Amino acid sequence: MSTLEIKGLRAAVAGKEILTGIDLTVRRGEVHAVMGPNGAGKSTLSAVIMGKPGYEVLGGTVTLDGEDMLALPTWQRAVRGLHLVMQYPTEVPGVHVDEVLAEALAARGRDVSALGDIIRTEAGRINFDADLVARALNVDFSGGEKKRNETLQLGVLAPRFAVLDELDSGLDIDALRDCARRVEAATHESNLGVLAITHYVRLLEELKPDAVHILVAGRIVKSGGPELADVLERDGYAAFA
Ligand code: ADP
Ligand code: MG
């Protein structure tokens, strides 16, 4: 079974250790939620998994089917099947969404001839205005359009594992449902494994997690089933800090 495995991961930003030892294993088709207070290191974890510049790995490993991801540049991690849905999607003036997708598919050695149809189908599934793909990536997109656009990319690229960094932030209820349902569908249709960083049980009602992990001060302090999210909703993080 294909796995994304994080072992003893420690990482620093700006000379300060933020991740102090993360252990997490996600198998394809599984959804793991990571919840934790602001500043716990959730976005740092997503950045280190994907290889965002500026993060120093101090120890530990991130492997996909046994292959060391930390040794690869970001684009090669993506080609291997890792995908990040960003908390704050980057605006890229002059580069259109459909061009990005065509390049990304070509880099994966996949056929791009039917891309227009695939984009229209995917856009329809999440109520995304397909005309937006001819516009510059995320430039002047609303918060909801940005996250729908991120979800569209995930649908088209069909990665093996996705890290969702607060997919729910900046989304209204309809957009949240559309995006979360598309990701949940991918766990069945293409056996997508998901690491879903979130503050809200609302997302997890759509995106049924197999496991919930609580991240506090750079480490996972508790793991459990979906009921753990309800405990957090009721009691907050105080009991785990
Ligand atoms: P979370 O996503 O859980 O809210 P982050 O991973 O964004 O937390 O941040 C964890 C800690 O790392 C915070 O104290 C934050 O200020 C710090 N941090 C993150 N990125 C940087 C950076 N580029 N420079 C300095 N500190 C950073
Ligand atoms: Mg964050």
Side-chain angles (χ1 to χ4, degrees), residues 6 9 18-19 22 24 34 41-50 55 62 163 195 197 215 220:
I6 301 164
L9 185 64
I18 304 295
L19 301 182
I22 303 274
L24 258 182
V34 173
K42 304 184 297 299
S43 292
T44 301
L45 175 62
S46 71
V48 173
I49 292 172
M50 213 58 217
Y55 295 80
V62 177
V163 181
L195 195 58
I197 294 167
L215 179 68
I220 288 168

Side-chain angles (χ1 to χ4, degrees), residues 36-44 46 87-88 165-166 197 199:
N38 290 321
K42 304 184 297 299
S43 292
T44 301
S46 71
Q87 183 170 6
Y88 304 108
D165 193 1
E166 299 198 26
I197 294 167
H199 283 294

Side-chain angles (χ1 to χ4, degrees), residues 64-80:
L64 201 169
D65 295 341
E67 185 180 9
D68 178 13
M69 289 293 108
L70 299 177
L72 299 176
T74 297
W75 72 271
Q76 285 187 6
R77 298 183 200 194
V79 167
R80 300 293 196 282

Side-chain angles (χ1 to χ4, degrees), residues 57-226:
V57 176
L58 302 174
T61 56
V62 177
T63 55
L64 201 169
D65 295 341
E67 185 180 9
D68 178 13
M69 289 293 108
L70 299 177
L72 299 176
T74 297
W75 72 271
Q76 285 187 6
R77 298 183 200 194
V79 167
R80 300 293 196 282
L82 282 185
H83 187 92
L84 172 64
V85 169
M86 287 185 279
Q87 183 170 6
Y88 304 108
T90 311
E91 299 191 4
V92 189
V95 177
H96 298 177
V97 179
D98 48 357
E99 295 168 344
V100 171
L101 288 169
E103 289 293 334
L105 287 175
R108 288 157 178 73
R110 280 161 52 189
D111 180 23
V112 297
S113 59
L115 180 58
D117 290 338
I118 295 170
I119 288 176
R120 268 185 296 281
T121 303
E122 282 295 335
R125 292 183 70 172
I126 54 170
N127 297 306
F128 184 69
D129 180 354
D131 292 342
L132 288 173
V133 301
R135 281 189 17 203
L137 189 67
N138 292 317
V139 176
D140 296 328
F141 282 19
S142 72
E145 286 168 349
K146 281 182 178 167
K147 293 299 175 85
R148 279 193 163 100
N149 181 33
E150 293 280 304
T151 306
L152 176 92
Q153 292 170 45
L154 185 144
V156 171
L157 296 176
R160 297 204 278 169
F161 291 95
V163 181
L164 315 177
D165 193 1
E166 299 198 26
L167 174 66
D168 40 17
S169 77
L171 280 184
D172 62 33
I173 289 170
D174 290 347
L176 172 59
R177 193 193 50 231
D178 289 344
C179 292
R181 284 189 183 168
R182 181 64 190 91
V183 176
E184 171 68 21
T187 66
H188 305 293
E189 289 173 17
S190 55
N191 220 8
L192 176 71
V194 178
L195 195 58
I197 294 167
T198 184
H199 283 294
Y200 300 108
V201 170
R202 181 74 238 219
L203 177 74
L204 303 180
E205 284 166 2
E206 300 288 351
L207 193 57
K208 310 261 182 308
D210 298 285
V212 174
H213 309 278
I214 302 177
L215 179 68
V216 178
R219 65 170 67 232
I220 288 168
V221 295
K222 185 151 181 81
S223 296

